Amino acid sequence: MVSVLRVHLPSEIPIVGCELTPYVLLRRADKTVTTDDVLETAPLDGQFLRYKWYRVQSDKKVAVCSIHPSEQATLQCLGCVKARLPVAKSYHCTPKCFSDAWQHHRVLHDRAASAANENGNEDEEVFGRFSSSGSGVSNSSLSASASSANLANGSEAPYPAGITQKSGEIWYEVGRCKTYTPTADDVGHVLKFECVIVDSETKLPMGHVNTILTSRVIPAPSPTPRRVIPIDGMGHLDADGRITSSGTFTVLSYNILSEAYASNDLYNYCPSWALSWTYRRQNLLREIVGYRADIICLQEVQSDHYEEFFAPELDKHGYYGLYKRKTIEVYSGNTNTIDGCATFFRRDRFSHVKKYEVEFNKAAQSLTDAMIPTTQKKTALNRLVKDNVALIVVLEAKVNNQPVDNPGKRQLLCVANTHVNVHQDLKDVKLWQVHTLLKGLEKIAASADIPMLVCGDFNSVPGSAPHALLAMGKVDPSHPDLAVDPLNILRPHSKLAHQLPLVSAYSSFARTAGLGFEPHKRRLDGGTNEPLFTNVTRDFIGTLDYIFYTADSLVVESLLELLDEEGLRKDTALPSPEWSSDHIALLAEFRCCKNKSRQ
């Protein structure tokens, strides 16, 4: 006879839109144990498992805190109600919670008032990119589970009316599958999971019914929306709230923090439920899709997450994806946990022309074969082989959803996506990798004179040698980073140069004029004109991520506003319940300033 040994949930707090799949450990008749599901269509020893989910509702209405969503709210901001903000954002658990959040919270009031004055439609302007319903639940179109909750949760027909279990408490059956995805209707209520072994012939339960009660369901926390700021004042808002101009396209670059690196030890300041991949993947998808970028460059995408989640989910939103995982020479273990770079583009805006894969390990092997004496090759490879990659994609713009018929008028675009993840002590290796990528891009530019974008997490702060090489085209021979070169791979220093006219997109904020841009300029480093930070953890705050573009062929039209330290709640680092990576996303809108295409 099959028996249930253990049942528990992977997360202590259920969240709207995030799947709940209990861990069920079974013992077979032969005394072996398994976590495999036993379906009615494939019984084991004449038995199968039957699951049910219930929403436990009481007659007491419960609201949850907008800042600490696992806590019950005790007060409400009437200013939010008057400003017609989503009601979920008005709740706080304690007066201290409200006081600590006020400086950030009042920005919502100001934006709502400003949007109402300018456009008469504050909801679309302020919350257009992260649509929220009155319950504070984000855009349901992102998940089939939210828009088709009954189907996703195993319903073939409407469930019977709720069953009163005791005075003031009603159980509503909401799911008949092992996995359940909480909906907006569940917010503030406890869920109950039941599983029982059933005889496959009689369909009658056998033995004990195993049950679990969850904590109260909370809405998915939503961050303050980040607006897109027009740089030259020429952009305009269309009906969807997007800033557009003729012939423009948007590019997103985002290190999403691989599950393999998101350990509770490293990020112990983030609640465990908000650090779980089941939560983070939905929150990341919601954010990424909300930006509506034409091209998406993601870093730290695990190979299994690309295949099983991002590729199929973004496909539903009209994106085609390409992926390059890290090489495996220095990795041991489950290959599915290897991360890499993923580039997506809208199928209605671009078509794929060519893909180049850069494996820095192969370049390291070639370098040591050519330059390093035999007796030092092993030592050199140990230093140079770091498993990093870059994905370079050549795209062709479409006109009216079709490629341009006349080859002489083809508009091509080259997009490089990389993650230079090298230890800070190996400054020579980091610089060598960036130089290797740029030399490869120079070869592509020589064969096809097209606009170029270089996106990614370079793990290099503004002013470092890799940043100087990217932004200035060369490295000053006196730069302190060049002092670290035990293999002499950076000599002569004159070779550390390239001819690509690269400019950092976010430096465009520094070149703008007008009072409206002053808040954005204050979020830039005065010496380098780069953002003050793109990576925020308990131990580090600084800029590591960039979008570079060829300034002779592209013009920046608009930029996604940067976060400021006040915008990140006091004493909070990333990731957090609102932002599911330790990096922030960068997004730029570009326009081709001249035709640099060839047949």
Side-chain angles (χ1 to χ4, degrees):
M1 178 178 175
V2 179
S3 59
V4 178
L5 294 179
R6 187 184 180 195
V7 179
H8 76 89
L9 289 167
S11 176
E12 70 272 25
I13 298 179
I15 305 144
V16 170
C18 297
E19 293 180 347
L20 280 173
T21 303
Y23 174 89
V24 180
L25 185 64
L26 301 176
R27 176 185 283 140
R28 301 187 183 96
D30 61 4
K31 305 302 182 183
T32 59
V33 296
T34 181
T35 57
D36 294 339
D37 203 357
V38 182
L39 303 174
E40 184 174 4
T41 54
L44 178 64
D45 298 331
Q47 298 163 335
F48 65 92
L49 280 174
R50 177 183 291 163
Y51 307 106
K52 286 188 179 181
W53 286 89
Y54 297 93
R55 180 196 308 131
V56 183
Q57 288 193 200
S58 66
D59 51 13
K60 181 181 179 182
K61 180 63 177 176
V62 176
V64 295
C65 176
S66 62
I67 303 299
H68 308 97
S70 59
E71 302 295 328
Q72 186 171 332
T74 62
L75 58 89
Q76 184 177 27
C77 173
L78 295 181
C80 288
V81 177
K82 291 180 181 179
R84 295 176 58 196
L85 296 175
V87 66
K89 291 184 176 292
S90 66
Y91 293 122
H92 294 267
C93 54
T94 64
K96 184 179 186 302
C97 167
F98 179 71
S99 176
D100 288 347
W102 172 245
Q103 190 168 11
H104 168 62
H105 183 81
R106 68 179 179 182
V107 174
L108 299 178
H109 297 186
D110 295 342
R111 286 185 178 178
S114 175
N117 291 335
E118 294 178 8
N119 302 314
N121 188 348
E122 63 272 27
D123 287 341
E124 181 174 340
E125 168 67 9
V126 180
F127 296 98
R129 292 189 174 270
F130 292 92
S131 300
S132 297
S133 68
S135 64
V137 180
S138 296
N139 193 337
S140 62
S141 67
L142 298 182
S143 172
S145 62
S147 59
S148 307
N150 284 345
L151 179 62
N153 291 319
S155 171
E156 297 178 357
Y159 291 128
I163 304 169
T164 301
Q165 298 294 322
K166 60 183 180 181
S167 177
E169 186 177 276
I170 300 176
W171 293 3
Y172 289 96
E173 185 180 328
V174 292
R176 296 179 181 175
C177 289
K178 184 177 182 180
T179 296
Y180 178 71
T181 303
T183 69
D185 293 335
D186 299 322
V187 171
H189 301 294
V190 170
L191 298 176
K192 180 179 180 179
F193 171 72
E194 288 185 351
C195 72
V196 64
I197 295 170
V198 177
D199 185 278
S200 57
E201 292 186 2
T202 65
K203 310 301 182 187
L204 295 176
M206 302 176 63
H208 177 66
V209 178
N210 298 269
T211 63
I212 303 178
L213 290 176
T214 72
S215 302
R216 295 185 186 276
V217 176
I218 67 172
S222 59
T224 302
R226 296 171 63 189
R227 296 174 296 176
V228 173
I229 310 300
I231 294 302
D232 59 6
M234 299 300 291
H236 63 275
L237 289 172
D238 67 5
D240 294 327
R242 283 183 73 191
I243 295 176
T244 62
S245 60
S246 177
T248 66
F249 61 92
T250 51
V251 178
L252 175 75
S253 184
Y254 197 6
N255 180 326
I256 62 170
L257 180 58
S258 166
E259 181 188 14
Y261 307 143
S263 68
N264 286 292
D265 291 339
L266 192 58
Y267 302 105
N268 57 15
Y269 50 82
C270 181
S272 58
W273 60 265
L275 200 56
S276 69
W277 180 241
T278 53
Y279 170 73
R280 289 203 307 119
R281 69 178 186 178
Q282 292 294 345
N283 205 33
L284 287 165
L285 180 68
R286 185 182 299 112
E287 181 187 0
I288 291 166
V289 172
Y291 293 131
R292 305 174 190 169
D294 297 308
I295 301 168
I296 300 171
C297 295
L298 303 180
Q299 302 88 42
E300 284 196 26
V301 181
Q302 287 183 196
S303 55
D304 53 337
H305 294 167
Y306 174 80
E307 295 292 342
E308 299 170 10
F309 183 72
F310 285 108
E313 288 298 325
L314 288 173
D315 176 73
K316 297 174 186 176
H317 294 275
Y319 290 96
Y320 181 83
L322 297 162
Y323 182 72
K324 174 59 180 174
R325 79 174 188 177
K326 289 181 179 177
T327 44
I328 61 175
E329 283 83 346
V330 296
Y331 187 87
S332 60
N334 182 356
T335 57
N336 282 340
T337 60
I338 296 176
D339 66 284
C341 298
T343 299
F344 297 88
F345 59 88
R346 287 189 180 276
R347 290 188 295 265
D348 62 344
R349 293 294 312 274
F350 295 97
S351 58
H352 173 221
V353 176
K354 196 163 187 178
K355 177 177 78 169
Y356 301 89
E357 296 182 349
V358 179
E359 296 184 0
F360 294 114
N361 285 359
K362 289 184 177 179
Q365 186 67 59
S366 299
L367 178 66
T368 54
D369 289 345
M371 293 181 54
I372 307 298
T374 303
T375 56
Q376 300 177 24
K377 286 187 186 298
K378 185 176 180 180
T379 300
L381 286 174
N382 285 339
R383 186 173 184 86
L384 291 172
V385 171
K386 297 303 171 198
D387 207 27
N388 307 122
V389 297
L391 175 62
I392 304 172
V393 178
V394 177
L395 304 175
E396 179 179 357
K398 292 183 177 181
V399 177
N400 297 325
N401 204 25
Q402 297 293 329
V404 178
D405 292 333
N406 185 345
K409 295 183 179 180
R410 296 175 70 189
Q411 179 58 66
L412 302 179
L413 178 68
C414 180
V415 182
N417 178 13
T418 191
H419 184 197
V420 180
N421 184 16
V422 177
H423 196 276
Q424 294 301 318
D425 292 339
L426 302 175
K427 290 182 170 62
D428 55 324
V429 181
K430 194 188 301 282
L431 179 57
W432 169 76
Q433 285 190 359
V434 173
H435 183 247
T436 299
L437 172 62
L438 290 170
K439 299 312 285 186
L441 290 173
E442 276 192 316
K443 291 180 181 178
I444 296 173
S447 62
D449 190 14
I450 59 178
M452 287 193 166
L453 295 165
V454 186
C455 307
D457 175 4
F458 291 86
N459 269 287
S460 302
V461 298
S464 64
H467 177 264
L469 181 59
L470 284 158
M472 307 301 294
K474 60 182 180 180
V475 181
D476 190 312
S478 63
H479 197 290
D481 284 1
L482 299 183
V484 180
D485 187 17
L487 301 176
N488 288 321
I489 59 174
L490 305 179
R491 296 181 184 277
H493 295 157
S494 59
K495 78 174 183 180
L496 298 174
H498 65 88
Q499 300 301 312
L500 300 172
L502 293 179
V503 175
S504 175
Y506 271 80
S507 67
S508 299
F509 272 138
R511 298 190 293 274
T512 55
L515 294 177
F517 291 104
E518 289 307 312
H520 306 292
K521 289 184 177 182
R522 287 196 293 269
R523 299 171 192 178
L524 299 179
D525 174 77
T528 63
N529 292 332
E530 295 289 5
L532 288 174
F533 64 85
T534 64
N535 179 241
V536 183
T537 66
R538 185 65 57 81
D539 303 318
F540 174 83
I541 180 167
T543 293
L544 303 174
D545 309 85
Y546 308 91
I547 298 176
F548 288 95
Y549 67 99
T550 46
D552 64 337
S553 54
L554 295 170
V555 173
V556 177
E557 292 277 294
S558 58
L559 293 166
L560 183 67
E561 69 177 339
L562 295 165
L563 297 178
D564 57 37
E565 291 188 66
E566 294 178 357
L568 295 174
R569 199 167 64 249
K570 184 180 178 182
D571 298 328
T572 297
L574 300 179
S576 68
E578 294 80 14
W579 304 100
S580 286
S581 175
D582 55 346
H583 293 250
I584 66 170
L586 301 179
L587 181 141
E589 181 185 33
F590 294 97
R591 172 173 51 84
C592 291
C593 60
K594 65 178 180 178
N595 185 8
K596 298 197 69 176
S597 56
R598 287 182 177 177
Q599 187 169 346

